[in-house]
């Protein structure tokens, strides 16, 4: 099978359409089971009380906010390296979902901070760098829409996305590098999780669910982007200029 | 099942406001995104002048 043919947007369009229902179904199932375990089965935390249950949406949202940014930057980089239109379309499709999860991570974090620290917001390294990530997503999206020439818009926002990757390790390691009010990682790649198994199970299920959800909505959005871009009139035709302006 | 009653579940040990705000905000975010995508898709299809039929 020749997979490279799917790098053409109009060939990828139907393939993406076939994948969306599967990712949606798996996402719905994982989130349903995750919510059931997290809200109904898992016991309360002896230190934080039931406010700890916020982590079942906070941590997955925060992970997705960082992960999606890296994936967006990779697609932008691939787009620039291979001059591939579909890669830029993927980068464009990822940004709004990443921004939403960043916003949710900040909001649910405030909901956790108020009862736990006594403050909705503090300017510690973890919170500040995550807020900067929200501005980065906004910047990448705004830069794209502010440039009329699509190819230049893709490249400019791609460069911005790639440069901004430097913030991701800063967010991730901020709780180690600085003395933050935000607690350290409960789950890391190098040590055993500092959580009860039942709580960890719920959190990982929610993360997996958010991950599958992200794939489903991003595929769905990239289909919209393909339609929007491919249905634009040809650039060479001067009589199509008003239509081009309208389509943007 | 950890909870003894529905009111106990809703109270979340006194943290109900914070816990439910978090979960409802997340649910609203997801619902909003799906609805926005649905409308965007309808608009894109309407403007696509039939290219979908030629590719699907």
């Amino acid at each position: 099978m020749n997979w490279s043919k799917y790098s053409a947007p109009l060939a990828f369009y139907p393939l993406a359409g076939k994948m969306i229902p599967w990712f949606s179904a798996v996402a719905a199932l994982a989130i349903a089971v995750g919510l059931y375990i997290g809200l109904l089965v898992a016991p309360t935390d002896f230190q934080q009380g039931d406010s700890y249950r916020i982590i079942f949406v906070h941590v997955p949202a925060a992970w997705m906010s960082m992960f999606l940014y890296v994936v967006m930057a990779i697609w932008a980089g691939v787009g620039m390296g291979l001059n591939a239109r579909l890669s830029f379309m993927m980068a464009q499709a990822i940004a709004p979902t990443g921004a939403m999860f960043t916003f949710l991570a900040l909001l649910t974090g405030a909901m956790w901070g108020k009862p736990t620290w006594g403050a909705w917001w503090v300017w510690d390294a973890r919170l500040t760098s995550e807020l900067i990530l929200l501005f980065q997503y906004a910047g990448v999206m705004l830069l794209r829409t502010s440039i009329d020439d699509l190819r230049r818009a893709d490249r400019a926002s791609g460069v911005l996305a790639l440069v901004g990757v430097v913030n991701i390790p800063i967010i991730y390691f901020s709780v180690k590098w600085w003395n933050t009010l935000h607690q350290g990682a409960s789950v890391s790649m190098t040590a055993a999780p500092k959580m009860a198994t039942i709580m960890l199970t719920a959190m990982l299920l929610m993360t997996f669910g958010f991950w599958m959800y992200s794939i489903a909505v991003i595929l769905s959005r990239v289909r919209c982007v393909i339609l929007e871009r491919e249905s634009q009139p040809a650039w060479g035709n001067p009589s199509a200029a008003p239509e081009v302006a309208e389509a943007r | 099942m950890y909870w003894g009653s529905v009111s106990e579940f809703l109270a979340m040990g006194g943290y109900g406001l914070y816990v439910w705000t978090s979960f409802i905000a997340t649910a609203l975010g997801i619902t909003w995104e799906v609805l926005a995508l649905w409308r965007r898709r309808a608009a894109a299809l309407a403007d696509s002048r039939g290219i979908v039929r030629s590719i699907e």
Side-chain angles (χ1 to χ4, degrees):
Chain A
M1 190 168 177
N2 179 17
W3 287 98
S4 66
K5 78 166 186 173
Y6 290 114
S7 64
L10 288 179
F12 183 70
Y13 184 94
L15 177 71
K18 284 191 199 92
M19 291 192 284
I20 291 166
W22 295 101
F23 284 110
S24 307
V26 175
L29 187 70
I31 291 173
V33 178
L35 283 177
Y36 172 74
I37 298 178
L39 288 177
L40 295 173
V41 179
T44 194
D45 185 77
F46 81 100
Q47 266 185 331
Q48 298 181 1
D50 286 306
S51 67
Y52 96 91
R53 292 182 201 274
I54 292 170
I55 65 156
F56 296 132
V57 283
H58 174 70
V59 174
W63 278 347
M64 292 312 302
S65 73
M66 292 188 281
F67 179 70
L68 288 177
Y69 191 92
V70 174
V71 177
M72 175 180 79
I74 290 173
W75 278 119
V78 170
M80 280 187 278
L82 303 176
N83 205 14
R85 289 183 307 143
L86 183 61
S87 303
F88 285 120
M89 294 180 186
M90 285 300 291
Q92 181 181 349
I94 290 170
T97 303
M100 188 196 72
F101 278 126
T102 312
F103 174 76
L104 287 176
L106 290 167
L107 183 85
T108 56
M111 289 300 138
W112 185 86
K114 186 62 182 170
T116 314
W117 304 334
W120 299 106
W121 181 264
V122 287
W123 292 100
D124 95 348
R126 171 56 72 78
L127 279 67
T128 308
S129 54
E130 181 77 8
L131 181 65
I132 289 171
L133 184 68
L134 184 63
F135 296 153
Q136 287 178 264
Y137 274 119
V140 167
M141 288 191 283
L142 286 174
L143 186 57
R144 183 190 302 280
T145 52
S146 66
I147 301 174
D148 279 337
D149 180 347
L150 259 183
R151 294 207 298 181
R152 289 184 59 199
D154 278 339
R155 281 174 186 277
S157 73
V159 169
L160 185 61
L162 276 172
V163 171
V165 169
V166 72
N167 191 30
I168 300 299
I170 295 178
I171 299 173
Y172 188 79
F173 292 111
S174 57
V175 289
K176 271 192 182 169
W177 292 346
W178 293 283
N179 189 9
T180 53
L181 192 52
H182 193 287
Q183 67 193 67
S186 301
V187 181
S188 77
M189 281 172 277
T190 48
K194 302 180 194 70
M195 289 174 80
T197 313
I198 187 88
M199 298 174 185
L200 182 67
T201 307
M203 203 172 83
L204 293 181
L205 272 169
M206 292 297 285
T207 304
F208 181 71
F210 278 25
W211 197 15
M212 296 297 113
Y213 164 81
S214 301
I215 295 175
V217 289
I218 287 163
L219 287 175
S220 175
R221 189 176 292 112
V222 84
R223 270 162 63 97
C224 294
V225 173
I226 291 172
L227 277 182
E228 288 159 6
R229 291 198 185 191
E230 298 292 306
S231 58
Q232 279 184 21
W235 291 98
N237 179 4
S239 66
E243 246 184 307
V244 172
E246 199 188 339
R248 285 191 53 84
Chain B
M1 183 71 75
Y2 173 75
W3 306 97
S5 70
V6 175
S7 56
E8 208 181 292
F9 171 65
L10 291 176
M12 280 285 154
Y15 295 108
L17 174 70
Y18 306 106
V19 173
W20 295 120
T21 305
S22 299
F23 280 83
I24 290 168
T26 307
L28 285 178
I30 287 175
T31 312
W32 167 79
E33 188 176 27
V34 171
L35 286 179
L37 264 176
W38 200 37
R39 293 183 57 179
R40 183 173 177 175
R41 177 170 164 74
L45 276 173
D47 292 341
S48 69
R49 294 172 300 164
I51 64 165
V52 175
R53 247 173 292 128
S54 63
I55 57 179
E56 240 177 354

